[in-house]
Amino acid sequence: MARERKIDMVILGLLSHEDLSGYDIKKRIDGAISFFWKGSFGNIYPALKDMESGSLITKSDTSVGGREKLTYHITEAGKEALKNWLQEEQASNELKYETLLKLFFGGADSKSVSIRNIEIFEEQIEADLKLLKSYCDTLEKVMDEEDHVYYYLTASFGVDTYEAYLKWCDKAKKILNSKEAQGV
Amino acid sequence: MARERKIDMVILGLLSHEDLSGYDIKKRIDGAISFFWKGSFGNIYPALKDMESGSLITKSDTSVGGREKLTYHITEAGKEALKNWLQEEQASNELKYETLLKLFFGGADSKSVSIRNIEIFEEQIEADLKLLKSYCDTLEKVMDEEDHVYYYLTASFGVDTYEAYLKWCDKAKKILNSKEAQGV
DNA sequence: ATCAGCATGTAAGGCGTTACATGATTCA
DNA sequence: TGAATCATGTAACGCCTTACATGCTGAT
């Protein structure tokens, strides 16, 4: 049943660029990555421990003064594991949108509830889109350097889809509003 | 820490339209809903049991011959629970796309690997889009009946975003191909 | 001084998937 | 007769989130 934990690959991916501590890794994940993948300390630290045992990474103490700090470095075996994963043909892409679930069952309550739910979604997307656009703009300028194309492409995926979401929100609200008031 | 299990709401939502067995519920979820929410027997049956204990649903034996069948019916309390959930302001909408993760770390391997990963994604989306479009076309014609607008809107979300995905795939492949072959 | 941020980690609990176990019926 | 589908359920296991526990440092 081979290990499936994707957080390992996130960490390996990050470490393939630079040495990082668990805390640093968390910050990186909370950046642009967080739009399509999440991580938590309760997730990251155990993964780090396991991968060190498995010799995919090595640990070194880089504490400064009394402040503890452990910096991790990827090994050749770790780089191999990362590449193997990149080359796997299957990838799990899952969308879990509670907003769509609520909309699907919207008939169980008044129309205004569904419209409100779309608006809440819209506000969230608008806020996130702003962020994604700023990432995208920055990255577009440095796309010819090393791996920046890859960062640009993922951010650009976010921008494109979020813009599609907003168009859909408009359409959906119009369709619902055009219906006769029912069950309000 | 209130119960969070969304499968309960999926079941309640389905039962708000018709009485169903656990097996039927699974089939419904595997239809149009599966694009934004999943369910499994190991998930559904325990939820059914808990909700019956909680009086949100009632059970009746509808076995035919020796084939066991338990049909569930939503109670008033169940309908209330469903409405309360619909009216909650917060909704968790999460995207977990391994393809984007792989692309983000694409720099760790050759460009062709990333292009291949985009193609795999594209093929999957194209297949799913066909299905979604057929749902959408069917629903569009009956949108004025009862709750069909809601089904239409969710299917339409799928179509719109999947079309945006495909456009992005094209763009992404072009950008990668325009780069000098590096590290291949 | 105090608060935010740096930094590591563990524990409990929830949720979900997968596989297993069992048995009936329908159709080729 | 055998395979597919109908039908219910449990058990093991894995993964992740949340909360907790602890302590240092730098800025206001």
Side-chain angles (χ1 to χ4, degrees), chain B residues 12-130:
Chain B
L12 252 20
L14 289 169
L15 293 180
S16 72
H17 289 291
E18 45 176 344
D19 292 352
L20 295 165
S21 67
Y23 193 84
D24 292 330
I25 287 167
K26 174 69 163 64
K27 278 193 297 179
R28 294 285 188 290
I29 296 175
D30 287 343
I33 292 176
S34 69
F35 289 101
F36 52 87
W37 215 271
K38 305 265 189 297
S40 61
F41 288 128
N43 197 10
I44 294 165
Y45 285 117
L48 247 13
K49 197 186 233 179
D50 294 347
M51 287 197 291
E52 207 219 337
S53 306
S55 298
L56 299 179
I57 57 178
T58 56
K59 177 170 67 177
S60 52
D61 190 323
T62 54
S63 302
V64 176
R67 185 181 288 174
E68 196 180 6
K69 183 163 185 172
L70 302 170
T71 298
Y72 292 89
H73 178 84
I74 192 168
T75 64
E76 282 308 311
K79 286 180 192 171
E80 271 313 298
L82 179 62
K83 282 190 191 182
N84 287 339
W85 167 67
L86 288 173
Q87 288 167 20
E88 271 169 22
E89 292 272 312
Q90 41 73 267
S92 88
N93 295 311
E94 44 177 302
L95 191 85
K96 277 183 80 174
Y97 275 17
E98 196 177 351
T99 297
L100 292 178
L101 207 50
K102 286 185 176 180
L103 189 62
F104 191 85
F105 297 122
D109 206 328
S110 74
K111 203 182 63 171
S112 60
V113 170
S114 288
I115 291 174
R116 176 77 193 118
N117 284 329
I118 293 171
E119 281 166 357
I120 293 167
F121 179 68
E122 202 174 17
E123 282 157 24
Q124 188 59 61
I125 294 299
E126 272 166 357
D128 291 348
L129 179 56
K130 255 182 210 165

Side-chain angles (χ1 to χ4, degrees), chain A residues 95-107 114 117-118 121 165 168-169 172, chain B residues 10 32-37 85-86 91-95 97 132 149-159 161-162 165:
Chain A
L95 189 86
K96 277 183 79 175
Y97 276 18
E98 197 176 351
T99 297
L100 292 179
L101 206 51
K102 285 186 176 180
L103 189 62
F104 191 85
F105 297 122
S114 288
N117 284 328
I118 293 171
F121 178 68
Y165 289 178
W168 171 85
C169 286
Chain B
V10 180
I33 292 176
S34 69
F35 289 101
F36 52 87
W37 215 271
W85 167 67
L86 288 173
S92 88
N93 295 311
E94 44 177 302
L95 191 85
Y97 275 17
L132 278 169
V149 218
Y150 297 106
Y151 307 152
Y152 168 76
L153 289 176
T154 51
S156 150
F157 180 94
V159 170
T161 60
Y162 278 25
Y165 288 177

Side-chain angles (χ1 to χ4, degrees), chain A residues 155-169:
Chain A
S156 150
F157 179 94
V159 170
D160 293 354
T161 60
Y162 277 26
E163 281 175 348
Y165 289 178
L166 292 181
K167 272 183 210 159
W168 171 85
C169 286

Side-chain angles (χ1 to χ4, degrees), chain A residues 30 49-50 61 70 74 76 89 169:
Chain A
D30 288 344
K49 196 186 238 178
D50 293 347
D61 191 323
L70 302 170
I74 192 167
E76 282 308 311
E89 292 271 313
C169 286

